[in-house]
């Protein structure tokens, strides 16, 4: 039966199914209700308000993603015999889903070049080996990669360790997702995060959702969009794919929505992949021509508005229509809805950032908000929809190649530390250095660096040229079994709801949450913070300034963070007060911005040519499925797109006919970077003709390593491919 709405009774049945898998629905419910931040997206669930509660206190707020992540942590342990029974060659052929479902990692394991299997190893030997390797290398022969699954405390401590060791090769997973948002926003408003709080989203009368599919990837956001529609507001979705859940969604916790469904998109616009920038400028041009822009706001609160207005006037409609793929009438309609709005929120995800011009896309969104004064007042603003639940916090506490000046100065002045001043490498640059054998050691705090990279063949080669790779993880993923170094060590760590001490996380609304931790479910894994502190003691040693035993306590780390990280001054009291808080200086309810002159900055752009226009070409974007979170695949099916497998390329039926293909015909897919043979070409009438989609990370071998020059984010969208019948 074709799925025609997101959520609904299927979501309820899925909840019951996952509950049975882990030993009962009550066991799952108890795990979900603990006072810990949700393990998946950064919407801001849980913490001291309790699990399944959002930042406004609404209950029950839960989604399949959080259930899937919790179910993974409720799995039984991977037994020692597993490693004897599964050679590395076999593990490397397993799918992301198969690896995820192997169970919880509970013992350190090591792979040595030339061996056929991983072997178990003691904690003592593993940490001693890692420390010895670090002492044998120069600091800039190492890199340190962080995912958003960890806590502020673990992130701060590990980046501190890396810098005390002597390197700034410190980077996080946002370089492969929302780094373009941070750079674009910083250049526009002086702050790299959302300008609003959750209440602002609830008060809006218009929400743009651009280049995203929160129905699949951030399902709890659908409740807020439902509230917007019920108040008579509008939701404009801009996406080359007509996503089922963005058309209609049934909120399981709302009886009316559950039974009758909620229409989410009031307007659905399908530009070509890569056409967003032209469309955004087109909406702005129509607003200017209709004289609906707020010139008083531009004059009083924006820099370079005159140049922007001149650029808008000079841009031709023929160019806008050709490069966006959207006709003038539809642009006029969207601009008219925007013109009638009193409170607009602009939200976007990686359909905006995963382009060679991702920063320009974000700047154009900010321009459009400024054009009608939709910044600096309640109910309005900019909302990058962040992925992992603490990816924003990891960046806030210093996990960047260049420390923010304030953090750098505070660490030196308040703690008297001698920090490196060399230029740190971003994530892709670290991979290139590894490929050139200039990098010899890599440590990953969570995540899947191999699976997150473009050009997966190159990524495997680069990682395999390391002398040592270390990964701190809870379950297996493809990064553990591909691109293996001379020595690859996997250290099993605890998820946040099993940590022995409280930790904190930051939501995409700049809200600091505290996770209480809880009892361990399986023996063997260790606290991330304690593993990092133990490694620091072994590799660097104590001094008059650093006592690693004290830094095993998360309360000590919070004291450090509160002293050095802007906006985090309340953090050192959070365990005692239980008072979670909004970070100061990031939410803008008055039009005063943290730029040099207090004004927002407008940017002008040249529109990029639309790629993939030859008769035998398609534009391709890599996407996540409804049964997936980041690189983790929980289910092979993609329910909302009505797909039962992942080894496919989806294209419009007109493109199947144009390319001489049949539905479900095996094909060869080629880009300028790689090739995939044997996938099925499927007709999918929800996508705009001329465009196609494939699942990430399996299709990463087709993705070029070319990155946005400003953010260094690879272009996982806008890949030009040819699709031919498999000979």
């Amino acid at each position: 039966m074709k799925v025609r709405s997101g959520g609904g009774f299927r979501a309820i049945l899925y909840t019951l199914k996952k509950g049975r898998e882990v030993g009962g629905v009550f066991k799952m419910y108890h795990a979900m209700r603990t006072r810990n931040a949700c393990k998946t997206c950064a919407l801001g669930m849980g913490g001291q308000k309790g699990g399944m509660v959002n930042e406004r206190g609404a209950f029950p707020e839960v989604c399949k993603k959080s259930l899937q992540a919790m179910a993974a942590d409720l799995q039984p342990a991977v037994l020692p015999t597993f490693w004897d029974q599964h050679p590395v060659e076999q593990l490397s052929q397993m799918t992301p889903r198969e690896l995820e479902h192997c169970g919880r990692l509970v013992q350190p394991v090591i792979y040595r070049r030339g061996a056929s299997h991983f072997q178990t190893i003691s904690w003592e030997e593993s940490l001693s080996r890692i420390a010895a390797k670090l002492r044998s290398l120069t600091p800039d022969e190492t890199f340190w990669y962080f995912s958003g699954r960890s806590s502020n405390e673990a992130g701060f401590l590990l980046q501190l360790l890396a810098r005390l060791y002597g390197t700034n090769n410190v980077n996080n997973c946002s370089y492969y997702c929302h780094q373009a948002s941070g750079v674009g926003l910083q250049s526009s408003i002086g702050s790299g995060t959302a300008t609003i709080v959750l209440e602002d989203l609830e008060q809006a009368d218009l929400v743009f959702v651009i280049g995203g599919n929160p129905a699949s990837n951030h399902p709890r956001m659908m409740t807020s969009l439902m509230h917007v529609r019920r108040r008579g507001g509008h939701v404009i979705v801009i996406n080359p794919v007509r996503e089922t859940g963005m058309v209609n969604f049934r909120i399981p916790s709302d009886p009316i929505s559950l039974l009758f469904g909620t229409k989410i998109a009031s307007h659905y616009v399908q530009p070509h992949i890569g056409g967003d920038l032209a469309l955004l400028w087109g909406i702005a041009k129509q607003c200017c021509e209709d004289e609906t822009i707020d010139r008083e706001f531009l004059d009083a609160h924006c820099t370079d508005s005159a140049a922007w207005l001149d650029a808008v006037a000079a841009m031709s409609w023929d160019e806008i229509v050709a490069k966006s793929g959207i006709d003038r009438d539809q642009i006029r309609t969207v601009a008219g809805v925007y013109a009638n709005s009193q409170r607009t929120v602009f939200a976007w995800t990686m359909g905006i950032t995963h382009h060679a011009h991702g920063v320009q896309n974000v700047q154009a969104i900010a321009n459009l908000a400024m054009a009608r004064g939709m910044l600096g007042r309640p109910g309005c603003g900019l909302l990058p929809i962040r992925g992992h639940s603490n990816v924003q916090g990891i960046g806030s506490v210093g996990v960047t190649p260049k420390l923010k000046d304030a953090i750098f100065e505070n660490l030196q002045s308040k703690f008297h530390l001698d920090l490196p001043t060399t230029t740190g490498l971003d994530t892709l640059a670290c991979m290139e250095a590894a490929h050139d054998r200039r990098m010899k050691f890599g440590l990953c705090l969570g995540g899947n660096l191999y699976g997150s990279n473009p050009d997966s063949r190159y990524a495997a080669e680069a990682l395999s040229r390391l002398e040592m790779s270390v990964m701190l993880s809870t379950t297996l993923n493809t990064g553990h079994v591909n691109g293996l170094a001379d020595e690859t060590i996997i250290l099993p760590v605890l998820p946040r709801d099993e940590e022995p001490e409280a930790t904190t996380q930051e939501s995409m609304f700049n809200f600091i949450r505290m996770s209480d931790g809880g009892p361990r479910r399986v023996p063997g894994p260790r606290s991330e913070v304690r593993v990092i502190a133990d490694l620091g003691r072994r590799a660097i040693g104590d001094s008059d300034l650093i006592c690693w035993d004290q830094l095993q306590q998360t309360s000590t780390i919070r004291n450090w963070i509160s002293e050095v990280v802007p906006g985090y001054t309340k953090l050192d009291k959070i365990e005692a007060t239980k008072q979670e808080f909004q970070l100061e200086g990031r939410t803008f309810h008055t039009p005063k911005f943290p730029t040099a002159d207090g004004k927002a900055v407008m940017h002008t752009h040249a529109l990029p040519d639309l790629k993939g226009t030859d008769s035998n070409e398609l534009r391709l974007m890599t996407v996540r499925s409804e049964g997936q979170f980041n690189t983790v695949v929980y289910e092979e099916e993609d329910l909302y797109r009505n797909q039962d497998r992942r080894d496919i390329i989806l294209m419009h039926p007109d493109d199947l006919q144009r390319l001489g293909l049949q539905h479900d015909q095996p094909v060869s897919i080629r880009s300028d970077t790689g090739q995939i043979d044997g996938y099925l070409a499927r007709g999918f009438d929800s996508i705009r003709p001329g465009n196609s989609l494939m699942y990430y990370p399996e299709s990463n071998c087709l993705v070029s390593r070319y990155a946005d020059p400003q953010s260094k984010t690879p272009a996982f969208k806008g890949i030009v491919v040819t699709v031919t019948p498999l000979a």
Side-chain angles (χ1 to χ4, degrees), residues 31 173 237:
C173 59
V237 179

Side-chain angles (χ1 to χ4, degrees), residues 580-598:
E580 300 174 326
F581 59 94
Q582 209 81 35
L583 287 170
E584 298 175 358
R586 296 191 186 178
T587 301
F588 303 112
H589 286 158
T590 58
K592 176 72 173 176
F593 306 102
T595 57
D597 59 3

Side-chain angles (χ1 to χ4, degrees), residues 576-616:
T577 65
K578 308 294 184 183
Q579 294 298 308
E580 300 174 326
F581 59 94
Q582 209 81 35
L583 287 170
E584 298 175 358
R586 296 191 186 178
T587 301
F588 303 112
H589 286 158
T590 58
K592 176 72 173 176
F593 306 102
T595 57
D597 59 3
K599 295 183 178 183
V601 181
M602 305 194 83
H603 296 268
T604 59
H605 310 115
L607 300 184
D609 291 333
L610 187 65
K611 299 187 293 185
T613 57
D614 287 351
S615 60
N616 66 332

Side-chain angles (χ1 to χ4, degrees), residues 416-528:
H416 311 293
L417 300 180
D418 184 18
L419 301 174
T421 56
T422 52
T423 301
L425 301 180
D426 61 77
T427 309
L428 188 56
C430 286
M431 295 296 294
E432 292 170 342
H435 196 271
D436 294 342
R437 301 188 189 278
R438 291 180 284 115
M439 204 69 73
K440 298 181 180 178
F441 172 96
L443 187 145
C444 299
L445 181 63
N448 179 352
L449 182 55
Y450 162 78
S452 302
N453 260 277
D455 194 351
S456 50
R457 176 194 58 79
Y458 181 94
E461 288 178 356
L463 293 169
S464 71
R465 294 176 182 179
L466 295 172
E467 294 180 5
M468 178 176 283
S469 175
V470 179
M471 291 167 276
L472 281 65
S473 303
T474 57
T475 55
L476 279 173
N477 61 53
T478 56
H480 296 127
V481 294
N482 289 277
L484 299 179
D486 291 346
E487 288 188 337
T488 298
I489 297 175
I490 306 172
L491 300 177
V493 291
L494 297 168
R496 67 183 56 141
D497 60 336
E498 296 179 30
E499 284 279 356
E501 297 181 353
T503 61
T504 59
Q505 292 79 33
E506 178 185 327
S507 83
M508 70 187 189
F509 293 105
N510 304 298
F511 189 74
I512 302 301
R513 304 162 294 179
M514 186 174 75
S515 294
D516 284 353
R520 62 175 62 240
R521 299 184 177 99
V522 291
R526 293 187 178 182
S527 160
E528 290 180 335

